[in-house]
């Protein structure tokens, strides 16, 4: 007798093959049968009219801190993710010396907008080395599987101390130590190494991150260490100010390490052809036999703007900033005072406040044509007529007045959507091209990050709802292709060899989905992080069941309380 039999669902196995109707049987933590008529099960799940898919393998999250205290890791787990990978964008918490605990908290808060007070309260710091950190992760019972990458910024601070924070050049001894620690981390189970070379990433004080200007020799040496370890991927985010130079050292890392190398790719409004040039660089490297790829998002990187979020169009004005320390109710009452309204609307964005922000986020001060009413059923490809500029024109109001009154109306919980990247032309056609390119990997959900201004952990869900079912402003994508993109392809690329497919002997990570009812809700702000830290979350309808390692962890949106998840260590 099988432990679980899921009967009569449409099995979409994650390989890209056409879906078919049949049973899925699970014994222990493994898949025992795919298709046909299975024998009896201790538990039988009727899945007629439902999709049965592998659990999502989400490879770009930032739960580095939260995973040390929170077993559930919502909202990613709410949206069908059964494996998540963090340590992205060069930020993390290991290795670390006690003297630099606060520096790493500041880095994570500045780069990923995770409340520093929550990290200071929640992190136990019962580790120093990266292997120690993995051991700490392994000790916590958890709902879904987690895995980690070694991040460059903490590695550099560990090796160089204050010199790294001051962005000084690494010495030969520093580089040798970083390379040795990289090899150590990979052999202990890290899934790769990541770094960040962008002006978008700053500390809360507006300082650039430690690895922003790291010499190519430093990165190439780390790549060689990966080659010696024979495992892991090398990932990075860059502004590509000198495209030829960046591709030069990336190709060198790929050649020396013989490991997959990837960089984050989005469409930028200031240079609409940039993404095509960078993909040409990927294809050229592939032509040389190098394993270079671009990691892309399935929707815009979009800021959520509201009174309770980290950012809104008026937060950059000194008059609004003065109210930031008030309680939400007190702030809303003050904002509704006609005199306060007039004072804030008469102001311009403050150069002081603008300077602290990453360059791409500064657009929220003026781009009323790029701010959209989010609505209860979020639309991630909003048409021009839903912009604040268009709605204000229809109402006969200046856009800033319309926006102010909209945000301060109702209960003060209204939100706007501001696509920062991947929305240059006002639609998602470029994103579709990126998703369909065979040299890209799907990522950038950013689960656990940007707690006060982004909620993209629902990306795996919107890949199905928007791209497969609902899109009306351009071609849709095939169901089997989209599921393959976020299961077997992400698993294979990063080395999760036992999952990502519905196949006999593979790990029993499964979603049972009511496709017709699948719907992400409007994001909401909650205050459940340590020390009352805030974060945006997004609930979802339509996941009838999510199974991790053969154990149901969610049923119809409700957590079962089971903790079958574990730390996954890379095996090479």
């Amino acid at each position: 007798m099988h432990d679980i039999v899921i009967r009569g669902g449409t099995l979409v196995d994650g390989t890209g093959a056409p879906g078919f109707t049949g049973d899925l049987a699970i014994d222990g933590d493994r898949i025992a049968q795919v298709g046909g008529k299975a024998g009896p099960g201790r538990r039988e799940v009727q899945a007629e009219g439902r999709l049965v898919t592998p659990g999502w393998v989400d490879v770009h999250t930032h739960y580095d801190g939260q995973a040390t205290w929170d077993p559930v890791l919502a909202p990613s787990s709410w949206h069908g993710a059964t494996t998540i990978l963090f340590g992205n964008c060069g930020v993390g918490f290991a290795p670390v010396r006690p003297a630099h605990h606060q520096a790493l908290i500041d880095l994570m808060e500045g780069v990923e907008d995770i409340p520093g007070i929550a990290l200071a309260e929640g992190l136990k710091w019962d580790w120093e080395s990266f292997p120690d950190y993995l051991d700490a992760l392994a000790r916590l019972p958890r709902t879904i599987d987690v895995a980690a990458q070694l991040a460059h910024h903490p590695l550099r601070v560990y090796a160089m101390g204050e010199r790294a924070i001051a962005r000084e050049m690494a010495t030969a001894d520093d580089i040798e130590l970083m390379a040795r620690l990289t090899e150590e981390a990979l052999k202990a189970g890290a899934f790769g190494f990541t770094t960040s070379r962008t002006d978008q990433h700053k500390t809360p004080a507006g300082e650039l991150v430690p690895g922003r200007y790291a010499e190519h020799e430093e990165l190439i040496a780390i790549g060689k260490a990966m080659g010696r370890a024979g495992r892991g991927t090398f990932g990075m985010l860059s502004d590509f100010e000198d495209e030829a130079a960046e591709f030069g050292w990336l190709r060198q890392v790929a050649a020396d390490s013989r490991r997959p190398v990837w960089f984050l790719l989005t469409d930028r409004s200031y240079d609409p052809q940039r993404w095509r040039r960078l993909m040409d660089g990927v294809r050229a490297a592939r032509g040389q036999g190098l394993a270079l790829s671009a990691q892309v998002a399935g929707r815009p990187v979009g800021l959520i703007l509201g009174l309770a979020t980290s950012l809104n169009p008026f937060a950059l004005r000194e008059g609004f900033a003065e109210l930031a320390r008030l309680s939400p109710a007190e702030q809303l009452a003050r904002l509704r005072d006609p005199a306060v309204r007039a004072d804030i609307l008469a102001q311009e964005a403050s150069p002081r406040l603008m300077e602290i922000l990453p360059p791409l986020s500064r657009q929220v001060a003026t781009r009323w044509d790029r701010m959209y009413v989010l609505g209860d059923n979020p639309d991630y490809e909003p048409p021009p007529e839903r912009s604040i500029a268009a709605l204000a024109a229809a109402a006969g109001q200046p856009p800033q007045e319309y926006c102010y009154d909209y945000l301060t109306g109702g209960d003060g919980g209204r939100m706007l959507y501001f696509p920062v990247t991947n929305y240059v032309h006002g639609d998602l056609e470029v994103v579709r091209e990126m998703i369909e390119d065979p040299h890209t990997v799907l990522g950038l959900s950013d689960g656990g990050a940007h707690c006060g201004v982004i909620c993209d952990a629902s990306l795996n869900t919107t890949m199905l709802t928007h791209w497969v079912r609902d899109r009306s402003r351009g071609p849709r994508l095939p169901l089997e292709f989209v599921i393959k993109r976020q299961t077997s392809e992400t698993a294979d690329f990063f080395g999760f060899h036992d999952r990502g497919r519905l196949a006999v002997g593979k790990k029993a990570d499964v979603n049972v989905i009511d496709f017709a009812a699948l719907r992400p809700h409007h994001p909401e702000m909650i205050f459940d992080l340590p020390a009352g830290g805030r974060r945006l979350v997004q609930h979802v309808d339509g996941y009838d069941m999510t199974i991790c390692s053969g154990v149901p962890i969610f049923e119809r949106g409700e957590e079962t309380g089971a903790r079958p998840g574990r730390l996954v260590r890379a095996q090479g």
Side-chain angles (χ1 to χ4, degrees):
M1 179 176 285
H2 299 296
D3 290 322
I4 298 176
V5 175
I6 300 170
R7 296 214 180 267
T10 299
L11 304 173
V12 184
D13 67 7
T15 68
F20 57 95
T21 300
D23 296 348
L24 182 83
I26 296 171
D27 292 343
D29 66 350
R30 298 288 145 176
I31 295 172
Q33 181 176 330
V34 182
K37 179 71 172 177
R42 293 181 178 85
R43 175 160 186 194
E44 304 232 350
V45 178
Q46 300 304 315
E48 292 84 359
R50 302 295 192 257
L51 296 178
V52 181
T53 76
W56 315 137
V57 180
D58 188 342
V59 295
H60 194 107
T61 78
H62 291 278
Y63 290 106
D64 308 70
Q66 192 173 334
T68 67
W69 71 74
D70 176 9
V72 180
L73 300 181
S76 294
S77 58
W78 296 346
H79 288 266
T82 52
T83 304
I84 58 169
L85 179 64
F86 41 79
N88 287 288
C89 297
V91 288
F93 295 112
V96 61
R97 303 184 195 279
H100 295 123
H101 288 173
Q102 189 59 48
L104 296 194
I105 288 174
D106 290 345
L107 273 173
M108 188 66 78
E109 181 175 23
V111 172
E112 302 300 339
D113 188 29
I114 299 172
I117 57 168
L119 293 170
E121 178 76 16
L123 289 168
K124 297 181 178 65
W125 298 111
D126 51 345
W127 64 85
E128 178 169 324
S129 70
F130 194 87
D132 292 342
Y133 173 65
L134 293 181
D135 290 344
L137 291 171
R139 286 193 288 270
L140 181 69
R142 54 185 72 254
T143 303
I144 62 175
D145 286 356
V146 302
Q149 299 164 105
L150 174 67
H152 189 198
H153 303 322
L155 174 67
R156 202 167 199 266
V157 172
Y158 188 85
M160 298 173 58
E162 296 301 316
R163 292 183 294 116
I165 296 171
R167 298 182 300 282
E168 293 183 16
M169 185 183 300
T171 66
D173 287 344
D174 296 331
I175 293 172
E176 182 182 358
L177 176 57
M178 282 187 266
R180 178 170 59 79
L181 293 173
T182 298
E183 195 170 348
E184 174 187 78
L186 293 168
K187 289 180 177 178
F191 275 80
F193 167 90
T194 68
T195 189
S196 165
R197 299 165 64 79
T198 173
D199 290 348
Q200 286 294 111
H201 286 173
K202 295 183 175 183
T203 71
E207 296 294 323
L208 294 172
V209 295
R212 172 63 178 91
Y213 296 110
E215 295 290 316
H216 299 163
E217 290 77 11
E218 179 180 330
L219 298 166
I220 290 168
I222 288 169
K224 289 179 178 177
M226 298 182 72
R228 291 192 295 273
R231 60 183 65 180
T233 65
F234 185 110
M236 73 108 182
L237 170 60
S238 172
D239 287 338
F240 280 95
E241 295 151 314
D242 185 335
E243 293 175 13
E246 292 292 81
F247 273 111
W249 73 261
L250 281 172
R251 286 195 299 268
Q252 188 67 51
V253 167
D256 290 344
S257 69
R258 302 175 304 282
R259 303 303 306 164
V261 176
W262 57 270
F263 62 87
L264 295 180
L265 177 64
T266 57
D267 192 15
R268 303 286 181 90
S269 59
Y270 62 79
D271 187 355
Q273 295 305 311
R274 171 184 181 270
W275 78 272
R276 295 189 188 277
R277 294 194 307 272
L278 297 184
M279 283 308 304
D280 287 342
V282 170
R283 281 183 274 275
R286 289 293 185 110
Q288 297 172 346
L290 302 175
L292 182 61
S293 301
Q295 185 179 131
V296 300
R299 68 189 198 199
V301 176
L303 304 180
I304 306 298
L305 309 179
L307 299 184
T309 64
S310 298
L311 194 59
N312 67 63
F314 308 103
L316 299 171
R317 305 182 185 197
E318 296 287 0
F320 188 99
E322 291 172 3
L323 307 178
R325 290 184 175 85
L326 298 178
S327 71
E330 291 173 321
Q331 184 189 59
L332 184 59
R334 293 279 290 140
L335 290 170
R336 286 174 173 170
D337 183 317
V340 173
R341 177 184 184 275
D343 179 56
I344 291 174
L345 290 175
Q347 296 177 12
E348 299 288 337
S350 160
R352 176 185 70 86
L353 296 172
M354 289 276 280
E355 182 60 31
I356 296 173
L357 279 185
L360 293 177
S361 299
R362 296 172 190 169
Q363 302 172 73
V364 302
T366 55
R367 290 299 302 270
W368 309 106
D369 61 323
R370 276 290 188 259
M371 298 174 203
Y372 303 88
V373 172
L374 192 59
D376 186 54
N377 189 16
D379 182 358
Y380 295 102
E381 192 174 15
E385 58 267 24
R386 286 182 65 86
S387 74
I388 289 295
L391 293 171
Q397 273 187 290
Q400 68 163 353
E401 292 185 15
Y402 183 94
C403 185
Y404 188 101
D405 294 340
Y406 177 79
L407 291 178
T408 58
D411 62 359
R414 294 174 176 174
M415 295 178 182
L416 305 174
Y417 183 60
F418 189 99
V420 176
T421 64
N422 281 355
Y423 218 63
V424 174
H425 305 291
D427 61 36
L428 293 181
E429 276 303 285
V430 165
V431 174
R432 181 179 62 81
E433 290 187 54
M434 290 183 187
I435 296 170
E436 291 183 325
D437 194 294
H439 302 318
T440 65
V441 62
L442 184 68
L444 268 178
S445 83
D446 264 356
H450 306 291
C451 297
V453 75
I454 293 176
C455 193
D456 282 350
S458 62
L459 172 62
N460 292 313
T461 297
T462 55
M463 288 301 299
L464 294 179
T465 56
H466 183 77
W467 285 109
V468 177
R469 189 188 68 194
D470 297 337
R471 191 176 190 226
S472 61
R473 301 185 62 209
R476 298 176 187 173
L477 296 173
L479 172 67
E480 292 84 358
F481 170 80
V482 166
I483 289 174
K484 179 184 179 184
R485 270 310 218 174
Q486 54 197 40
T487 55
S488 68
E489 287 194 2
T490 47
D492 291 353
F493 186 90
F494 283 89
F496 295 96
H497 301 303
D498 64 343
R499 66 198 69 199
R501 291 170 174 79
L502 301 182
V504 173
K506 293 292 186 183
K507 190 168 179 287
D509 293 347
V510 181
N511 282 316
V512 181
I513 302 170
D514 184 346
F515 187 45
L518 193 62
R519 182 178 74 89
H521 291 202
H522 188 284
E524 61 179 296
M525 188 70 75
I526 63 175
F527 297 83
D528 69 339
L529 291 176
R534 67 180 178 177
R535 61 179 178 136
L536 281 166
V537 297
Q538 192 169 18
H539 289 274
V540 60
D541 295 331
Y543 286 94
D544 281 3
M545 180 178 287
T546 297
I547 296 171
C548 180
S549 295
V551 179
I553 54 173
F554 288 96
E555 296 189 35
R556 301 189 185 281
E558 297 296 324
E559 186 188 347
T560 67
R563 299 286 185 261
R566 63 182 179 88
L567 170 75
V568 186
R569 297 180 191 262
Q571 300 298 315

